[in-house]
Amino acid sequence: MKCRVCKRDAQISLKSYNLNLCSNCFLEFFRKRVYTTINEFKMCTPKDRILVAVSGGKDSLSLWHILSDLGYRTCGLHIILDIGEYSQRSYQQVIKFAQTKSLELRVVSVRDEFGKSIKELAKIAKRPPCRVCGMVKRYLMNREAEAFDCLATGHNLDDEASTLLGNLLNWQEGFLSRQAPVLEENYTLKRKIKPFAFISQEEITLYAELCGIDYLEERCPFSRRATSLIYKGVLNKIEEEMPATKLRFYKGFIKREYFKGGKREELSPCKRCGYLTVGEVCNFCKLKEKVLERKNLTEGGDDVRRDSYLKGNH
Ligand code: AMP
Ligand code: FES
Ligand code: ZN
């Protein structure tokens, strides 16, 4: 097997591109694709300050790695979710990466925000932990990105294709508008970019291994039953039989610009925090209120704190 580019021995076979490459040419191919995606979708420029949301897993650490290698001005953001040892290990992984590469890192913690863990919050909200966690993460990422030009996440092609499949199967047309590789800034919502939207999990794993990125392989303990894993599994089966299906599926969606035509939810500023939301009060503020209500109940009432919160002094 010879490398298509340099004709030396190839170690990597990318079925979805029908392409054999040696390690060096693969890295070059990978960098070019990320760079082209960033420019084609006008995600960011070298002048921009990018806040990169990093979980400690391979996608987000590889993203931070490549963005800084390509010369972009980055700062990492890690949210400590307080999901037992999994969160401790994630945090350690991110710190280690930032220190080795001498990169700036911001850290926020769910416990500092609410005084509770995700599991406790899920109980209070009477929602599955993943749902609560997703909402809290989105809110904190957006809030922390205030001083930056944009927020980058490590969502990859497998994430995008499986989300698209789920949205179509359930006809959640409103969600299609969120599936673009770039979500433009809108009042309090920062520009969000997904430079890996066209890059598969398999390619990112190769990149991480070849670059020696030390990442956490472990998955969040709450994600085991996540429906997204079912959709990913189905798409992988199809991909095995018909390589490039995932890419064709997601690219077809982008080309047809369905995300522009999809019914958009009406957004207005949250009455508590001012961030754009559906309805009067955003879910983050609603959750804070519920936590406070509980606290007041168990402590026999603390109206002063609640009043102060409701006036926005939080
Ligand atoms: P997930 O929703 O877990 O699939 O993660 C999607 C993206 O969100 C990741 O690629 C990261 O960019 C970001 N992310 C997930 N968890 C965290 C976290 N704890 N702290 C910061 N960013 C995160
Ligand atoms: Fe949030 Fe698993 S990462 S519940
Ligand atoms: Zn709010």
Side-chain angles (χ1 to χ4, degrees):
M1 189 165 92
K2 295 283 171 211
C3 170
R4 166 108 55 96
V5 182
C6 71
K7 314 295 178 211
R8 292 196 200 112
D9 284 349
Q11 296 85 29
I12 293 162
S13 178
L14 299 175
K15 282 203 184 129
S16 47
Y17 293 94
N18 194 16
L19 184 63
N20 298 329
L21 294 170
C22 69
S23 305
N24 282 341
C25 292
F26 167 77
L27 286 175
E28 198 46 39
F29 170 79
F30 187 95
R31 279 191 205 104
K32 251 192 203 152
R33 284 187 46 237
V34 175
Y35 191 66
T36 309
T37 305
I38 290 176
N39 291 329
E40 192 179 323
F41 289 90
K42 297 189 174 58
M43 291 186 173
C44 54
T45 69
K47 278 193 199 148
D48 287 343
R49 282 263 294 145
I50 309 168
L51 186 67
V52 189
V54 277
S55 62
K58 68 174 176 325
D59 300 331
S60 49
L61 285 185
S62 298
L63 179 64
W64 200 9
H65 185 275
I66 198 164
L67 288 179
S68 61
D69 268 17
L70 287 171
Y72 290 100
R73 300 166 68 208
T74 65
C75 170
L77 168 70
H78 181 67
I79 302 166
I80 303 178
L81 300 168
D82 209 338
I83 305 178
E85 289 184 5
Y86 163 76
S87 288
Q88 287 167 16
R89 286 194 279 269
S90 309
Y91 178 46
Q92 290 310 323
Q93 209 73 53
V94 172
I95 294 240
K96 201 164 129 197
F97 182 86
Q99 282 172 346
T100 322
K101 300 270 294 171
S102 302
L103 291 167
E104 190 189 340
L105 173 69
R106 279 178 172 227
V107 178
V108 289
S109 123
V110 169
R111 190 165 284 279
D112 288 349
E113 296 289 331
F114 293 93
K116 305 267 175 217
S117 69
I118 286 291
K119 200 173 172 183
E120 290 166 327
L121 290 176
K123 259 194 191 158
I124 293 171
K126 299 194 178 78
R127 295 263 185 279
C130 285
R131 181 94 54 93
V132 175
C133 173
M135 179 278 286
V136 168
K137 278 194 293 195
R138 275 194 301 278
Y139 186 94
L140 292 175
M141 283 180 202
N142 188 62
R143 192 189 71 189
E144 294 303 308
E146 199 170 339
F148 293 80
D149 294 292
C150 59
L151 171 76
T153 57
H155 290 97
N156 61 34
L157 176 63
D158 296 58
D159 297 323
E160 295 307 306
S162 59
T163 307
L164 180 57
L165 181 63
N167 286 341
L168 292 178
L169 287 176
N170 297 300
W171 289 111
Q172 285 169 311
E173 289 172 81
F175 291 166
L176 294 182
S177 58
R178 292 202 208 139
Q179 279 238 252
V182 183
L183 296 180
E184 284 308 334
E185 185 162 346
N186 179 8
Y187 185 50
T188 57
L189 301 175
K190 273 284 158 175
R191 188 189 341 142
K192 298 196 180 65
I193 65 171
K194 301 174 202 166
F196 281 168
F198 298 99
I199 307 221
S200 71
Q201 203 164 295
E202 185 193 358
E203 292 165 79
I204 298 170
T205 309
L206 279 169
Y207 177 81
E209 303 286 339
L210 290 172
C211 295
I213 298 170
D214 193 7
Y215 61 85
L216 190 72
E217 289 194 48
E218 184 183 339
R219 224 183 249 142
C220 159
F222 293 127
S223 70
R224 273 182 214 121
R225 275 175 292 148
T227 43
S228 64
L229 293 180
I230 302 173
Y231 296 139
K232 277 185 185 172
V234 170
L235 284 170
N236 281 339
K237 279 209 175 117
I238 302 175
E239 184 82 20
E240 259 174 42
E241 299 292 328
M242 293 180 283
T245 300
K246 276 184 240 176
L247 199 54
R248 220 170 29 245
F249 181 45
Y250 184 61
K251 272 196 169 170
F253 166 74
I254 298 299
K255 201 166 135 202
R256 286 167 181 80
E257 299 196 325
Y258 282 143
F259 53 89
K260 284 190 182 162
K263 275 188 228 153
R264 293 201 88 133
E265 295 157 311
E266 282 292 319
L267 300 177
S268 55
C270 163
K271 292 228 158 94
R272 306 275 184 267
C273 70
Y275 279 87
L276 279 193
T277 185
V278 184
E280 294 204 336
V281 177
C282 76
N283 287 331
F284 189 88
C285 289
K286 277 186 195 158
L287 186 56
K288 276 207 161 180
E289 285 178 2
K290 276 192 184 161
V291 171
L292 262 178
E293 272 165 21
R294 267 211 161 196
K295 200 162 186 247
N296 291 341
L297 272 178
T298 50
E299 286 177 5
D302 183 352
D303 293 340
V304 177
R305 201 170 321 153
R306 184 157 195 274
D307 281 347
S308 130
Y309 170 70
L310 291 175
K311 279 177 200 144
N313 306 332
H314 60 290

PDB file of all heavy atoms in Angstrom, residues 192-209:
ATOM      1  N   LYS A 192     -20.682  30.605  17.412  1.00  0.00           N
ATOM      2  CA  LYS A 192     -20.222  29.267  17.778  1.00  0.00           C
ATOM      3  C   LYS A 192     -19.688  28.573  16.548  1.00  0.00           C
ATOM      4  O   LYS A 192     -20.336  28.590  15.500  1.00  0.00           O
ATOM      5  CB  LYS A 192     -21.371  28.449  18.364  1.00  0.00           C
ATOM      6  CG  LYS A 192     -21.895  29.060  19.623  1.00  0.00           C
ATOM      7  CD  LYS A 192     -22.744  28.113  20.427  1.00  0.00           C
ATOM      8  CE  LYS A 192     -23.238  28.813  21.682  1.00  0.00           C
ATOM      9  NZ  LYS A 192     -24.143  29.936  21.421  1.00  0.00           N
ATOM     10  N   ILE A 193     -18.535  27.960  16.693  1.00  0.00           N
ATOM     11  CA  ILE A 193     -17.925  27.322  15.518  1.00  0.00           C
ATOM     12  C   ILE A 193     -17.578  25.867  15.816  1.00  0.00           C
ATOM     13  O   ILE A 193     -17.222  25.514  16.937  1.00  0.00           O
ATOM     14  CB  ILE A 193     -16.670  28.111  15.037  1.00  0.00           C
ATOM     15  CG1 ILE A 193     -15.550  28.088  16.084  1.00  0.00           C
ATOM     16  CG2 ILE A 193     -17.020  29.549  14.703  1.00  0.00           C
ATOM     17  CD1 ILE A 193     -14.220  28.654  15.579  1.00  0.00           C
ATOM     18  N   LYS A 194     -17.707  25.036  14.763  1.00  0.00           N
ATOM     19  CA  LYS A 194     -17.385  23.613  14.900  1.00  0.00           C
ATOM     20  C   LYS A 194     -16.410  23.239  13.781  1.00  0.00           C
ATOM     21  O   LYS A 194     -16.822  22.699  12.744  1.00  0.00           O
ATOM     22  CB  LYS A 194     -18.653  22.760  14.758  1.00  0.00           C
ATOM     23  CG  LYS A 194     -19.742  23.050  15.758  1.00  0.00           C
ATOM     24  CD  LYS A 194     -20.982  22.233  15.410  1.00  0.00           C
ATOM     25  CE  LYS A 194     -22.229  22.818  15.995  1.00  0.00           C
ATOM     26  NZ  LYS A 194     -23.460  22.272  15.422  1.00  0.00           N
ATOM     27  N   PRO A 195     -15.117  23.507  13.964  1.00  0.00           N
ATOM     28  CA  PRO A 195     -14.152  23.259  12.874  1.00  0.00           C
ATOM     29  C   PRO A 195     -14.014  21.775  12.498  1.00  0.00           C
ATOM     30  O   PRO A 195     -13.505  21.469  11.420  1.00  0.00           O
ATOM     31  CB  PRO A 195     -12.833  23.805  13.441  1.00  0.00           C
ATOM     32  CG  PRO A 195     -13.236  24.743  14.524  1.00  0.00           C
ATOM     33  CD  PRO A 195     -14.488  24.182  15.114  1.00  0.00           C
ATOM     34  N   PHE A 196     -14.475  20.860  13.356  1.00  0.00           N
ATOM     35  CA  PHE A 196     -14.382  19.419  13.051  1.00  0.00           C
ATOM     36  C   PHE A 196     -15.682  18.856  12.474  1.00  0.00           C
ATOM     37  O   PHE A 196     -15.850  17.632  12.414  1.00  0.00           O
ATOM     38  CB  PHE A 196     -14.043  18.630  14.323  1.00  0.00           C
ATOM     39  CG  PHE A 196     -12.594  18.666  14.731  1.00  0.00           C
ATOM     40  CD1 PHE A 196     -12.197  18.209  15.995  1.00  0.00           C
ATOM     41  CD2 PHE A 196     -11.612  19.137  13.878  1.00  0.00           C
ATOM     42  CE1 PHE A 196     -10.864  18.225  16.384  1.00  0.00           C
ATOM     43  CE2 PHE A 196     -10.273  19.171  14.264  1.00  0.00           C
ATOM     44  CZ  PHE A 196      -9.901  18.709  15.514  1.00  0.00           C
ATOM     45  N   ALA A 197     -16.606  19.739  12.078  1.00  0.00           N
ATOM     46  CA  ALA A 197     -17.932  19.247  11.645  1.00  0.00           C
ATOM     47  C   ALA A 197     -17.864  18.254  10.484  1.00  0.00           C
ATOM     48  O   ALA A 197     -18.761  17.442  10.317  1.00  0.00           O
ATOM     49  CB  ALA A 197     -18.821  20.435  11.279  1.00  0.00           C
ATOM     50  N   PHE A 198     -16.809  18.325   9.664  1.00  0.00           N
ATOM     51  CA  PHE A 198     -16.717  17.410   8.512  1.00  0.00           C
ATOM     52  C   PHE A 198     -15.655  16.334   8.737  1.00  0.00           C
ATOM     53  O   PHE A 198     -15.250  15.649   7.797  1.00  0.00           O
ATOM     54  CB  PHE A 198     -16.404  18.204   7.235  1.00  0.00           C
ATOM     55  CG  PHE A 198     -17.486  19.189   6.896  1.00  0.00           C
ATOM     56  CD1 PHE A 198     -17.357  20.530   7.219  1.00  0.00           C
ATOM     57  CD2 PHE A 198     -18.665  18.769   6.294  1.00  0.00           C
ATOM     58  CE1 PHE A 198     -18.366  21.443   6.951  1.00  0.00           C
ATOM     59  CE2 PHE A 198     -19.678  19.669   6.007  1.00  0.00           C
ATOM     60  CZ  PHE A 198     -19.530  21.009   6.339  1.00  0.00           C
ATOM     61  N   ILE A 199     -15.157  16.221   9.956  1.00  0.00           N
ATOM     62  CA  ILE A 199     -14.074  15.264  10.249  1.00  0.00           C
ATOM     63  C   ILE A 199     -14.593  14.166  11.164  1.00  0.00           C
ATOM     64  O   ILE A 199     -15.202  14.457  12.208  1.00  0.00           O
ATOM     65  CB  ILE A 199     -12.892  15.993  10.910  1.00  0.00           C
ATOM     66  CG1 ILE A 199     -12.527  17.171  10.010  1.00  0.00           C
ATOM     67  CG2 ILE A 199     -11.746  15.045  11.183  1.00  0.00           C
ATOM     68  CD1 ILE A 199     -11.135  17.463   9.795  1.00  0.00           C
ATOM     69  N   SER A 200     -14.356  12.927  10.752  1.00  0.00           N
ATOM     70  CA  SER A 200     -14.929  11.810  11.513  1.00  0.00           C
ATOM     71  C   SER A 200     -14.141  11.532  12.800  1.00  0.00           C
ATOM     72  O   SER A 200     -12.978  11.921  12.931  1.00  0.00           O
ATOM     73  CB  SER A 200     -14.957  10.550  10.656  1.00  0.00           C
ATOM     74  OG  SER A 200     -13.643  10.081  10.487  1.00  0.00           O
ATOM     75  N   GLN A 201     -14.822  10.828  13.686  1.00  0.00           N
ATOM     76  CA  GLN A 201     -14.205  10.426  14.953  1.00  0.00           C
ATOM     77  C   GLN A 201     -12.942   9.616  14.692  1.00  0.00           C
ATOM     78  O   GLN A 201     -11.943   9.775  15.383  1.00  0.00           O
ATOM     79  CB  GLN A 201     -15.223   9.558  15.675  1.00  0.00           C
ATOM     80  CG  GLN A 201     -15.037   9.500  17.145  1.00  0.00           C
ATOM     81  CD  GLN A 201     -16.295   8.944  17.791  1.00  0.00           C
ATOM     82  OE1 GLN A 201     -17.359   9.560  17.739  1.00  0.00           O
ATOM     83  NE2 GLN A 201     -16.184   7.767  18.350  1.00  0.00           N
ATOM     84  N   GLU A 202     -13.013   8.757  13.677  1.00  0.00           N
ATOM     85  CA  GLU A 202     -11.869   7.898  13.339  1.00  0.00           C
ATOM     86  C   GLU A 202     -10.647   8.746  12.960  1.00  0.00           C
ATOM     87  O   GLU A 202      -9.529   8.501  13.421  1.00  0.00           O
ATOM     88  CB  GLU A 202     -12.294   7.021  12.157  1.00  0.00           C
ATOM     89  CG  GLU A 202     -11.280   5.981  11.756  1.00  0.00           C
ATOM     90  CD  GLU A 202     -11.616   5.378  10.390  1.00  0.00           C
ATOM     91  OE1 GLU A 202     -12.653   5.751   9.779  1.00  0.00           O
ATOM     92  OE2 GLU A 202     -10.813   4.547   9.934  1.00  0.00           O
ATOM     93  N   GLU A 203     -10.866   9.779  12.144  1.00  0.00           N
ATOM     94  CA  GLU A 203      -9.754  10.641  11.727  1.00  0.00           C
ATOM     95  C   GLU A 203      -9.183  11.414  12.918  1.00  0.00           C
ATOM     96  O   GLU A 203      -7.967  11.586  13.029  1.00  0.00           O
ATOM     97  CB  GLU A 203     -10.223  11.627  10.667  1.00  0.00           C
ATOM     98  CG  GLU A 203     -10.569  10.981   9.344  1.00  0.00           C
ATOM     99  CD  GLU A 203     -11.368  11.938   8.467  1.00  0.00           C
ATOM    100  OE1 GLU A 203     -10.759  12.813   7.855  1.00  0.00           O
ATOM    101  OE2 GLU A 203     -12.607  11.804   8.421  1.00  0.00           O
ATOM    102  N   ILE A 204     -10.068  11.865  13.803  1.00  0.00           N
ATOM    103  CA  ILE A 204      -9.589  12.636  14.969  1.00  0.00           C
ATOM    104  C   ILE A 204      -8.772  11.726  15.886  1.00  0.00           C
ATOM    105  O   ILE A 204      -7.735  12.130  16.413  1.00  0.00           O
ATOM    106  CB  ILE A 204     -10.769  13.292  15.733  1.00  0.00           C
ATOM    107  CG1 ILE A 204     -11.489  14.280  14.820  1.00  0.00           C
ATOM    108  CG2 ILE A 204     -10.271  14.000  16.995  1.00  0.00           C
ATOM    109  CD1 ILE A 204     -12.804  14.813  15.368  1.00  0.00           C
ATOM    110  N   THR A 205      -9.217  10.470  16.036  1.00  0.00           N
ATOM    111  CA  THR A 205      -8.456   9.532  16.874  1.00  0.00           C
ATOM    112  C   THR A 205      -7.057   9.348  16.280  1.00  0.00           C
ATOM    113  O   THR A 205      -6.054   9.381  17.007  1.00  0.00           O
ATOM    114  CB  THR A 205      -9.168   8.158  16.949  1.00  0.00           C
ATOM    115  OG1 THR A 205     -10.518   8.393  17.322  1.00  0.00           O
ATOM    116  CG2 THR A 205      -8.527   7.233  17.951  1.00  0.00           C
ATOM    117  N   LEU A 206      -6.970   9.205  14.965  1.00  0.00           N
ATOM    118  CA  LEU A 206      -5.661   9.045  14.318  1.00  0.00           C
ATOM    119  C   LEU A 206      -4.787  10.272  14.573  1.00  0.00           C
ATOM    120  O   LEU A 206      -3.605  10.161  14.901  1.00  0.00           O
ATOM    121  CB  LEU A 206      -5.848   8.879  12.801  1.00  0.00           C
ATOM    122  CG  LEU A 206      -6.225   7.493  12.298  1.00  0.00           C
ATOM    123  CD1 LEU A 206      -6.648   7.541  10.832  1.00  0.00           C
ATOM    124  CD2 LEU A 206      -5.030   6.546  12.461  1.00  0.00           C
ATOM    125  N   TYR A 207      -5.401  11.455  14.407  1.00  0.00           N
ATOM    126  CA  TYR A 207      -4.659  12.700  14.618  1.00  0.00           C
ATOM    127  C   TYR A 207      -4.121  12.761  16.049  1.00  0.00           C
ATOM    128  O   TYR A 207      -2.942  13.046  16.274  1.00  0.00           O
ATOM    129  CB  TYR A 207      -5.570  13.904  14.335  1.00  0.00           C
ATOM    130  CG  TYR A 207      -4.903  15.237  14.589  1.00  0.00           C
ATOM    131  CD1 TYR A 207      -4.049  15.802  13.649  1.00  0.00           C
ATOM    132  CD2 TYR A 207      -5.109  15.932  15.785  1.00  0.00           C
ATOM    133  CE1 TYR A 207      -3.419  17.025  13.885  1.00  0.00           C
ATOM    134  CE2 TYR A 207      -4.491  17.151  16.035  1.00  0.00           C
ATOM    135  CZ  TYR A 207      -3.653  17.690  15.079  1.00  0.00           C
ATOM    136  OH  TYR A 207      -3.028  18.895  15.318  1.00  0.00           O
ATOM    137  N   ALA A 208      -5.005  12.458  17.016  1.00  0.00           N
ATOM    138  CA  ALA A 208      -4.614  12.533  18.431  1.00  0.00           C
ATOM    139  C   ALA A 208      -3.475  11.555  18.723  1.00  0.00           C
ATOM    140  O   ALA A 208      -2.500  11.897  19.403  1.00  0.00           O
ATOM    141  CB  ALA A 208      -5.816  12.241  19.323  1.00  0.00           C
ATOM    142  N   GLU A 209      -3.579  10.356  18.179  1.00  0.00           N
ATOM    143  CA  GLU A 209      -2.531   9.340  18.422  1.00  0.00           C
ATOM    144  C   GLU A 209      -1.215   9.791  17.795  1.00  0.00           C
ATOM    145  O   GLU A 209      -0.160   9.733  18.421  1.00  0.00           O
ATOM    146  CB  GLU A 209      -2.934   7.982  17.831  1.00  0.00           C
ATOM    147  CG  GLU A 209      -4.260   7.413  18.337  1.00  0.00           C
ATOM    148  CD  GLU A 209      -4.187   6.859  19.751  1.00  0.00           C
ATOM    149  OE1 GLU A 209      -3.087   6.553  20.191  1.00  0.00           O
ATOM    150  OE2 GLU A 209      -5.258   6.765  20.407  1.00  0.00           O
TER     151      GLU A 209
END
